[in-house]
Amino acid sequence: MATTPAHDSMANAIRFLAVDAVEKAKSGHAGLPMGTADIATVLFRDILKFDAADPRWPDRDRFVLSAGHGSMLLYALAYLTGLGGDKGLTIDDLKAFRQVGSKTPGHPEYGHTVGVETTTGPLGQGIATSVGMALAERMLAAHFPGIVDHRTYVLASDGDLMEGVSQEAIAIAGHYRLSKLIVFWDNNGISIDGKTTVLADNVDQVERFKSAGWNASAIDGHDVAAILNAIRAAQNSDRPTMIACKTIIGFGLPTKAGTSKAHSDAPGEAEIAGARKNLNWPYEPFVIPDDILAAWREVGRRGAPQRAAWRKALEALDPKERAEFERRVRGELPKDLDAVIDAYKQKLADEAPEVATRKAGQAALDVIAPAVPELVTGSADLTPSNNTKVAATREITPDDFTGRYIHWGVREHGMAAACNGIAVHGGFIPSGASFLVFTDYARPSLRLAALMKIRVVHVFTHDSIGLGEDGPTHQPIEQIASLRAMPNMYLWRPADSVETVECWQAALEKAHSPSILALSRQNLPALRRTHVVENLCARGAYEISPADGEPQVSIFASGSEVSLAVAAQKLLREKQVAARVISVPCMDAFFDQPEDYRRSVIGSAAVKVGVEAAVRFGWDAIIGDGPFIGMRGFGESGPYKAVFQFFGFTPEAVADAALKRLAA
Ligand SMILES: Cc1ncc(C[n+]2csc(CCOP(=O)(O)OP(=O)(O)O)c2C)c(N)n1
Ligand SMILES: [Mg+2]
């Protein structure tokens, strides 16, 4: 262990802000900030490229605290460096740690607190998200040479590395040789239940990372020179780097340091008094001596000349290129997109193609991708099935990041987390793809995208039993309902080509929400044969086929079942029953509509029927206790038409259900 008094006092400022905030809140995790304060001090004081005056400077280095439970580390650093100036954290914000409405919530929340680059807390997410940030940096640098050149630093805990998603992330970073990604592993050997090596983990992490194509080394995480040297070596590496830092959790606590008792909870007055003695920190809680605060504030100003030089480089760009860079960083869509989509919708209405919506999705991307250069698509090894690759999205390779198609390998979770990282990095709209049933494999990252209010537009195809022969393992049943249940996640299930491009457009326009496009494997007839300029799908639900006269029946359906509903409408007409059909491509968007619109779409027909090749859950909000033609259990392997027949998805069954209820 080698430190200096100046270093120690700066690191101790972090330690005591953290432990005093946890003690005051009687809740939180001081063990990690106390154990990693030396690493953080070296990184921020000597290495990290940032300027406290502009926390959102696009070319700043990113610092991700993957072990989000140590949030007080981030909050202490933000306060000490003066990050964000007047809009940053005050000492009162630190005193309000973990209180309702405070800027200092239990775990770091993106968009809520200055300096938080991504929401962390669910272990593994931070490190996986940071891989997307590092990828985005390489890609944006390839698209805008000369003005993008920064690193991504991550602090990951034992738990982060035990979570499975970390393996997907490490493999992706190794494959793409993301040499500007540098991970510190807080190797304290302690998790909640006790000593990691005794309880549940004996992985040789250095070898694990090396085998994935990383550079990895092990150091004493309290040795300033060792930390500095390791970072400098990492900066010169041609591979991503993991630095295993042996640390003592709760460093300084007299009885709890180095044990799982230091992980969380208020340590108690006696323990903290002991730490004050041990670390020679005689100051009252939340008091940072002027000279120490001044030293930290100086760190916050260190990057100002670098940022000024960067601004000059930006201003030296061709004005058009500069405007394009700034538009992309702001997250604004290109102005001509609407006109491009309108012309395409006109063409589709004329041609009325009968295709699967996954094919329609590819055709839509063929139009959208050239018009939206920030759109990055990809697939978790299902490119030929998801149909997400088009001419405009050439694939990236470890040697060439000018493309914008990403082969994620069979890694739905890693893909979804990295897409979040690409989105929070800025400059891109990421889009991953797989089968809809495998959203279950990506769910923790999908949830974080929704929580972070970021725009990620995933394409999940093979959206029902209509995928046929692959059978129940691949047939989504409850996924649609469960994704609808996720706040701020928009699940789009278009019925034909026009709806598919409308859903893509609506999803792109949702700058603060992630979306999932659920697309069919099987062919579907063209339903929208009259051109309408308005994006009808954006309203979530609309009458796609009106009744002849006063409607007695309203049939609500989504995706592949809308054409089924239209066929049922025809059968009812033959029986002199007037029925209307309402397409519901996005229940989430529909429930956002004003009440009068919702009422007019739901209507007042005596019978409301729902049809969707999935569970009923959620439909009651539209059809009340009306009959629902859906799934009650898992699917069946067979040709899709036979499977639909087997489960009763026929026009006759839908019409019968309506007639029965009408008679009742
Ligand atoms: C996915 C997930 N599972 C469980 C938890 C609850 N949890 C918080 S910290 C932690 C483990 C703590 O060990 P470590 O990651 O080594 O952190 P340290 O105790 O060293 O600070 C767990 C299980 C979580 N935050 N995320
Ligand atoms: Mg640990």
Side-chain angles (χ1 to χ4, degrees):
M1 228 179 277
T3 58
T4 62
H7 167 88
D8 289 346
S9 52
M10 289 179 79
N12 286 337
I14 297 174
R15 291 188 173 105
F16 285 95
L17 285 176
V19 75
D20 288 330
V22 170
E23 185 68 20
K24 183 164 191 302
K26 295 276 176 268
S27 162
H29 307 74
L32 182 142
M34 296 183 90
T36 58
D38 291 318
I39 301 166
T41 299
V42 172
L43 178 67
F44 274 69
R45 188 188 54 203
D46 300 325
I47 302 284
L48 199 74
K49 179 168 80 164
F50 78 109
D51 180 357
D54 183 4
R56 300 291 297 164
W57 171 24
D59 202 34
R60 69 191 180 282
D61 284 345
R62 306 312 198 251
F63 175 62
V64 173
L65 177 64
S66 190
H69 59 273
S71 57
M72 266 312 301
L73 176 73
L74 277 187
Y75 304 153
L77 286 164
Y79 166 70
L80 290 168
T81 58
L83 198 64
D86 296 345
K87 296 197 184 99
L89 295 183
T90 64
I91 200 75
D92 287 333
D93 291 321
L94 302 193
K95 290 179 186 169
F97 180 50
R98 292 191 155 228
Q99 303 310 306
V100 171
S102 78
K103 288 183 179 173
T104 48
H107 293 84
E109 295 177 24
Y110 175 77
H112 187 83
T113 312
V114 68
V116 174
E117 302 283 8
T118 181
T119 296
T120 53
L123 289 165
Q125 291 298 319
I127 186 170
T129 303
S130 71
V131 169
M133 295 184 193
L135 258 176
E137 190 273 344
R138 288 290 71 213
M139 293 174 68
L140 203 60
H143 292 197
F144 295 94
I147 51 166
V148 184
D149 180 12
H150 55 264
R151 293 191 167 81
T152 303
Y153 295 91
V154 183
L155 182 58
S157 66
D158 300 301
D160 280 308
L161 299 195
M162 283 191 258
E163 287 292 349
V165 70
S166 70
Q167 185 56 34
E168 300 183 23
I170 291 164
I172 294 166
H175 172 77
Y176 285 107
R177 291 202 293 275
L178 301 178
S179 58
K180 288 154 106 181
L181 176 63
I182 299 172
V183 172
F184 302 95
W185 167 34
D186 179 24
N187 175 17
N188 61 23
I190 294 293
S191 63
I192 291 177
D193 283 1
K195 259 177 107 70
T196 53
T197 51
V198 173
L199 297 176
D201 196 57
N202 278 288
V203 171
D204 182 335
Q205 296 291 356
V206 167
E207 289 305 318
R208 176 192 180 205
F209 277 77
K210 279 186 179 168
S211 75
W214 288 54
N215 169 35
S217 63
I219 62 166
D220 174 352
H222 299 293
D223 183 331
V224 168
I227 298 165
L228 254 182
N229 288 340
I231 299 174
R232 298 241 189 272
Q235 289 181 331
N236 292 318
S237 166
D238 60 350
R239 300 152 173 242
T241 296
M242 189 279 275
I243 306 168
C245 305
K246 190 86 206 139
T247 65
I248 298 166
I249 189 170
F251 186 92
L253 294 172
T255 70
K256 298 188 172 180
T259 76
S260 59
K261 291 201 179 80
H263 164 82
S264 67
D265 304 329
E269 271 177 37
E271 191 73 7
I272 295 179
R276 284 191 146 75
K277 248 203 191 123
N278 283 347
L279 298 177
N280 190 23
W281 188 264
Y283 316 109
E284 289 296 302
F286 302 104
V287 173
I288 307 295
D290 289 345
D291 58 328
I292 299 173
L293 187 60
W296 268 116
R297 291 290 152 97
E298 190 53 42
V299 169
R301 285 188 291 270
R302 179 174 52 75
Q306 274 171 301
R307 184 165 69 93
W310 179 84
R311 269 227 79 80
K312 270 210 169 127
L314 183 72
E315 279 157 15
L317 281 186
D318 167 68
K320 257 181 136 170
E321 201 186 346
R322 177 182 170 187
E324 179 67 355
F325 178 81
E326 291 177 331
R327 176 188 73 76
R328 284 176 55 166
V329 168
R330 279 196 307 272
E332 275 168 22
L333 290 174
K335 282 201 181 61
D336 51 359
L337 179 62
D338 289 349
V340 169
I341 287 179
D342 188 57
Y344 177 60
K345 276 170 62 178
Q346 174 80 64
K347 179 169 165 275
L348 287 175
D350 295 345
E351 292 175 0
E354 179 169 338
V355 293
T357 48
R358 63 179 171 136
K359 279 271 175 205
Q362 188 168 40
L365 273 178
D366 248 324
V367 170
I368 292 169
V372 185
E374 60 269 42
L375 183 62
V376 175
T377 64
S379 171
D381 201 47
L382 286 168
T383 298
S385 301
N386 300 144
N387 302 102
T388 40
K389 189 158 186 333
V390 294
T393 56
R394 211 162 25 78
E395 65 197 10
I396 62 164
T397 73
D399 301 310
D400 179 5
F401 289 92
T402 57
R404 47 196 180 103
Y405 191 84
I406 303 177
H407 291 287
W408 294 104
V410 191
R411 301 187 185 102
E412 298 81 8
H413 197 176
M415 169 181 74
C419 282
N420 292 351
I422 294 172
V424 295
H425 178 278
F428 293 104
I429 301 173
S431 168
S434 180
F435 290 153
L436 185 61
V437 77
F438 301 136
T439 50
D440 287 349
Y441 276 60
R443 180 169 298 268
S445 305
L446 300 176
R447 183 172 192 272
L448 277 189
L451 177 59
M452 287 197 278
K453 304 192 179 80
I454 56 173
R455 176 170 44 193
V456 180
V457 185
H458 290 298
V459 175
F460 284 102
T461 67
H462 297 56
D463 68 344
S464 76
I465 54 167
L467 65 86
E469 291 85 346
D470 274 344
T473 56
H474 283 49
Q475 292 166 347
I477 299 294
E478 74 282 23
Q479 281 69 22
I480 291 174
S482 70
L483 290 162
R484 284 178 183 146
M486 192 182 278
N488 196 35
M489 171 59 78
Y490 287 77
L491 187 283
W492 306 87
R493 190 164 183 256
D496 73 355
S497 289
V498 172
E499 282 205 1
T500 302
V501 70
E502 284 191 347
C503 288
W504 250 114
Q505 182 181 31
L508 287 172
E509 282 172 356
K510 292 211 167 290
H512 302 291
S513 306
S515 286
I516 286 173
L517 300 178
L519 306 181
S520 75
R521 173 179 185 252
Q522 75 277 23
N523 283 351
L524 301 175
L527 298 171
R528 292 274 298 276
R529 288 160 177 250
T530 312
H531 180 57
V532 184
V533 175
E534 191 195 343
N535 184 334
L536 299 175
C537 289
R539 306 203 82 164
Y542 65 98
E543 187 175 270
I544 193 167
S545 182
D548 302 328
E550 193 58 36
Q552 297 159 276
V553 175
S554 292
I555 311 175
F556 299 83
S558 84
S560 47
E561 286 70 71
V562 179
S563 48
L564 182 66
V566 171
Q569 176 191 39
K570 209 169 147 209
L571 293 180
L572 289 168
R573 191 180 299 134
E574 286 162 12
K575 304 209 158 136
Q576 272 74 52
V577 173
R580 57 198 275 272
V581 175
I582 300 89
S583 178
V584 190
C586 185
M587 221 183 256
D588 312 284
F590 181 57
F591 294 146
D592 287 345
Q593 298 302 308
E595 191 178 339
D596 57 343
Y597 180 77
R598 276 182 284 135
R599 277 181 190 280
S600 75
V601 170
I602 290 173
S604 52
V607 174
K608 299 190 202 68
V609 185
V611 195
E612 188 169 69
V615 292
R616 175 176 185 133
F617 210 93
W619 275 97
D620 296 16
I622 292 178
I623 62 169
D625 69 349
F628 182 75
I629 289 80
M631 295 293 292
R632 287 167 176 275
F634 295 111
E636 180 79 21
S637 169
Y640 82 87
K641 285 182 180 160
V643 175
F644 268 126
Q645 186 83 29
F646 181 80
F647 285 108
F649 291 95
T650 61
E652 292 75 18
V654 175
D656 275 0
L659 289 172
K660 253 196 210 129
R661 186 59 67 94
L662 206 52

